[in-house]
């Protein structure tokens, strides 16, 4: 099966799921690259599928990378949410490789909500993710802030990540990242806005790389038992080895 056919099939599957009948909930995602502070209700279970397409063009080095994540979320309490990523894998096509599929890792995350974005003056939550795979181990922490003002949602994430990879996990890298999202409810079912992501990588946890800045629009659709959220970010800096465009689609179904 060609890369084009696989990509088309994934997007068609995501679109089809938006028409599954379903019970309203308040924990839908309005952003694709920014986390919100709201957590799943106690006892609830949700399935999320992530599809991210990264592309780079120029200098004869055309690259397409498709990243896939399958997650099951559990509401342990009304404030504490557990997410288990059963598989993080990718599909790559570039000027030097044929289509290649690679399983990368599995991971788990915890989100604990401290304050609510509507009933408190500012919503806040803390996030911890641990990821492991062959020749890979990573730990990521986030501070999540959010404020809901009527139909407007403002969200900010501060991210710190440490990663070990390669043979014997000898290669060490770190990353500082922050993201900001704005979403406005156009109708009861549709919201639209924009997101911005800024990140800096640190080789061997010491030498900083170039500053990266991505920005672009987002949109989300809500249904009785699920939602679909999409965003496309364009690189605003001029770093040759990084994606020119990132597009992410997330769809969730509650059980």
């Amino acid at each position: 099966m060609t890369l084009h056919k696989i990509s088309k099939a994934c997007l068609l599957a995501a679109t089809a799921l938006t028409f599954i009948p379903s019970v309203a909930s308040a924990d839908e995602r309005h952003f694709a690259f920014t986390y919100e502070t709201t957590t799943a209700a106690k006892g609830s279970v949700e399935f999320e599928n992530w599809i991210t397409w990264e592309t780079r063009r120029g200098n004869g080095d055309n690259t397409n990378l498709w990243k896939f994540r399958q997650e099951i979320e559990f509401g342990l309490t009304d404030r504490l949410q557990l997410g288990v990523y059963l598989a993080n894998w990718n599909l790559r096509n570039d000027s030097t490789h044929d289509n290649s599929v690679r399983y990368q890792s599995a991971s788990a995350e915890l989100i604990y909500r401290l304050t609510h974005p509507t009933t408190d003056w500012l919503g806040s939550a803390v996030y911890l993710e641990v990821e492991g795979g062959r020749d890979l181990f990573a730990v990521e922490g986030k501070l999540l802030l959010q404020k809901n003002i009527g139909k407007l949602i403002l969200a900010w994430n501060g991210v710190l990540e440490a990663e070990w990879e390669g043979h014997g996990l000898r290669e060490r890298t770190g990353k500082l990242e922050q993201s900001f999202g704005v979403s406005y409810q156009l109708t009861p079912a549709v919201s639209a806005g924009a997101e911005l992501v800024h990140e800096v990588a640190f080789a061997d946890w010491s030498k900083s790389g170039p500053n990266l800045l991505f920005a672009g629009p987002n949109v989300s659709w809500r249904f009785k038992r699920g939602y679909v959220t999409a965003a496309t970010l364009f690189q605003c800096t001029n770093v040759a080895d990084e994606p020119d465009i990132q597009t992410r689609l997330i769809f969730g179904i509650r059980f």
Side-chain angles (χ1 to χ4, degrees):
M1 184 179 289
T2 65
L3 174 64
H4 175 73
K5 290 181 179 179
I6 293 174
S7 304
K8 186 176 180 180
C10 291
L11 292 176
L12 286 174
T15 303
L17 278 174
T18 67
F19 295 97
I20 296 177
S22 30
V23 213
S25 174
D27 61 331
E28 301 95 346
R29 287 182 181 268
H30 294 83
F31 307 105
F33 291 86
T34 306
Y35 276 82
E36 295 166 68
T37 63
T38 50
T39 51
K42 180 180 179 179
S44 65
V45 179
E46 181 175 300
F47 172 75
E48 277 192 353
N49 204 348
W50 299 45
I51 304 172
T52 304
W53 173 52
E54 298 180 355
T55 184
R56 186 175 71 241
R57 296 288 185 268
N59 299 322
D61 183 21
N62 297 337
T63 301
N64 291 286
L65 180 64
W66 292 83
K67 297 179 179 180
F68 303 89
R69 306 186 84 183
Q70 288 79 40
E71 180 190 15
I72 299 179
E73 292 182 352
F74 304 91
L76 301 181
T77 73
D78 287 335
R79 289 177 175 263
L80 181 62
Q81 175 180 303
L82 169 66
V84 179
Y85 292 91
L86 304 174
N88 303 315
W89 58 285
N90 58 57
L91 173 64
R92 182 183 182 91
N93 174 261
D94 60 30
S95 56
T96 60
H97 296 81
D98 293 328
N99 296 348
S100 59
V101 178
R102 180 190 175 196
Y103 171 81
Q104 185 174 6
S105 63
S107 55
E109 68 179 25
L110 285 171
I111 302 176
Y112 184 75
R113 177 171 57 83
L114 301 169
T115 54
H116 196 277
T118 301
T119 57
D120 294 307
W121 71 275
L122 180 67
S124 60
V126 288
Y127 170 109
L128 176 66
E129 179 178 350
V130 178
E131 178 181 3
R134 183 178 180 182
D135 298 330
L136 172 67
F137 181 75
V139 179
E140 181 179 75
K142 297 182 182 181
L143 173 64
L144 316 179
L145 301 178
Q146 178 183 341
K147 184 58 184 175
N148 297 354
I149 308 171
K151 297 181 179 181
L152 181 67
I153 297 177
L154 305 173
W156 176 87
N157 295 174
V159 183
L160 176 61
E161 179 182 5
E163 183 176 292
W164 297 259
E165 59 183 339
H167 181 69
L169 303 179
R170 295 174 182 173
E171 299 176 27
R172 305 180 302 174
T173 58
K175 184 175 70 173
L176 284 174
E177 179 184 302
Q178 59 180 334
S179 62
F180 178 72
V182 179
S183 180
Y184 185 81
Q185 181 179 309
L186 302 175
T187 73
V190 178
S191 297
E195 292 183 67
L196 182 148
V197 176
H198 170 254
E199 62 181 61
V200 182
F202 294 84
D204 201 30
W205 299 347
S206 57
K207 183 179 179 181
S208 65
N211 283 268
L212 285 168
L213 184 65
F214 297 89
N218 64 39
V219 65
S220 65
W221 298 267
R222 292 172 292 283
F223 304 89
K224 290 182 180 179
R225 275 183 49 207
Y227 57 90
V228 177
T229 299
T232 296
L233 303 187
F234 302 89
Q235 187 184 163
C236 302
T237 44
N238 189 25
V239 181
D241 294 335
E242 298 295 334
D244 297 316
I245 302 173
Q246 301 182 67
T247 296
R248 177 171 294 167
L249 176 71
I250 304 175
F251 57 86
I253 297 294
R254 288 176 294 277
F255 299 98

